[in-house]
Amino acid sequence: MHSPSLPPRTRSFLLSTGIVCTFFSVVLLTLVAVRWSPLMALDTSVAEALHRSAVTEPGLVRVNRVLTDWVWDPWTMRILIAVAVVALWRHGARLLAAWVAAVSAFATLVQQGLKAALGRERPEWPDPVDSAHYAAFPSGHAMTAMVSCGLLLWLLRLYGSRSPWWWAAVALAVVSVVGVAVTRVYLGVHWPTDVLGGLLLGAAVVAFAVVGYGSVAGYAARRTAGGADAPL
């Protein structure tokens, strides 16, 4: 087992990433809340262009709906996290299992809390190709995909996954995160800023979660003779 402490450069990079993503997500949330005209105009123009394309491509719409409703659905992502948590727990990495479960639950609470607080309306079309519930900002699909894929990649790295499997997992995660963001706007159920906000918030949560676990696991390792709960 490796030390639970993160290398200083890695810790610094993750902290910087978390701070930057948090800053831009707060700026974006503020601009959305005050309905800053240039941003609203950009949102509208992109959403309208994609919707015009969607209504003429029913076959592509069906593909996007399968992807967003099944492959990249938030519950699919949460099931993957649940499988990872159970596997970690059964292999004795209980601190790590609890941490991953708590981070996933925290991300869900953050997105739902922001949706309720901001109450942004979703796009409305005379000829919709899909529908969705709850408020628009941030996109729950985008944020959940970012958090889930980020946590799963982190776990793979912790347990020694190397190329080519590592790079295949990275490629799959990137396709999933970008893909779910595109499908939500293409299907007309989110504004572009909704998915951007979800991605920024998700990245911030993952970055802070990894740093936080390094600190918590290091403290636990110093207090127990058994060492760290899981390798870092």
Side-chain angles (χ1 to χ4, degrees), residues 4 8 26 28 48 62 73 81 96 101 155 161 166 173 178 195 199 226:
V26 170
L28 185 62
E48 287 180 345
R62 283 194 293 271
D73 183 77
I81 291 295
L96 182 56
L155 294 178
S161 178
W166 165 251
V178 174
V195 297
L199 296 179

Side-chain angles (χ1 to χ4, degrees), residues 168-207:
V170 170
L172 182 60
V174 170
V175 169
S176 297
V177 169
V178 174
V180 74
V182 172
T183 61
R184 301 307 285 167
V185 182
Y186 180 79
L187 292 171
V189 294
H190 273 296
W191 305 105
T193 47
D194 298 336
V195 297
L196 179 58
L199 296 179
L200 288 170
L201 287 165
V205 168
V206 172

Side-chain angles (χ1 to χ4, degrees), residues 50-131:
L50 288 175
H51 182 69
R52 285 196 298 270
S53 173
V55 295
T56 63
E57 297 287 348
L60 191 55
V61 166
R62 283 194 293 271
V63 171
N64 276 267
R65 291 190 65 174
V66 169
L67 290 172
T68 195
D69 292 340
W70 296 96
V71 180
W72 296 323
D73 183 77
W75 282 107
T76 302
M77 295 293 173
R78 291 176 189 132
I79 288 171
L80 292 176
I81 291 295
V83 170
V85 166
V86 170
L88 290 168
W89 191 271
R90 293 185 63 183
H91 283 83
R94 296 188 174 181
L95 175 60
L96 182 56
W99 190 264
V100 171
V103 170
S104 182
F106 172 75
T108 300
L109 290 175
V110 168
Q111 60 160 280
Q112 292 300 323
L114 289 175
K115 283 177 179 289
L118 195 58
R120 189 186 196 188
E121 296 293 331
R122 292 179 184 267
E124 293 185 7
W125 312 104
D127 48 357
V129 298
D130 200 0
S131 62

